Amino acid sequence: MAKQTDASKAEALRDSSREELERQIKELRDEQFNLRFQHSTGQLENTARMRQVRREIARIKTVLNERREAAET
């Protein structure tokens, strides 16, 4: 399977409902908390995942903000 680009990830997010996006953000924030905890205790093996989660959260928040701004105009 081909690697998904950032643009195609954003397009997939744009097709999701607001409730689905908010659920994904909650799950990612929980994962981010657990990753930070593992990092602080020295148990984190995949440190790159912290960056991936942070960027996924930002990508979802960007889509939600685009929708909010579009609704205001």
Side-chain angles (χ1 to χ4, degrees):
M1 187 170 154
K3 186 174 178 181
Q4 212 175 12
T5 64
D6 290 341
S8 63
K9 289 178 191 176
E11 283 300 318
L13 291 173
R14 286 186 182 97
D15 294 337
S16 301
S17 68
R18 183 180 57 83
E19 293 80 15
E20 175 68 18
L21 294 174
E22 289 174 353
R23 183 189 61 76
Q24 287 179 356
I25 284 181
K26 183 183 178 337
E27 290 175 1
L28 288 168
R29 284 186 176 154
D30 290 343
E31 181 180 356
Q32 187 179 41
F33 173 80
N34 290 329
L35 290 170
R36 282 196 314 254
F37 194 87
Q38 289 175 12
H39 183 65
S40 67
T41 59
Q43 297 175 343
L44 183 62
E45 294 179 12
N46 183 6
T47 56
R49 183 66 184 146
M50 293 177 74
R51 182 178 183 180
Q52 291 170 343
V53 169
R54 185 176 68 240
R55 288 183 175 198
E56 287 175 29
I57 291 170
R59 195 172 289 119
I60 293 171
K61 289 175 88 174
T62 298
V63 170
L64 288 172
N65 283 333
E66 286 173 350
R67 287 183 185 178
R68 182 182 47 81
E69 290 175 6
E72 290 176 356
T73 59

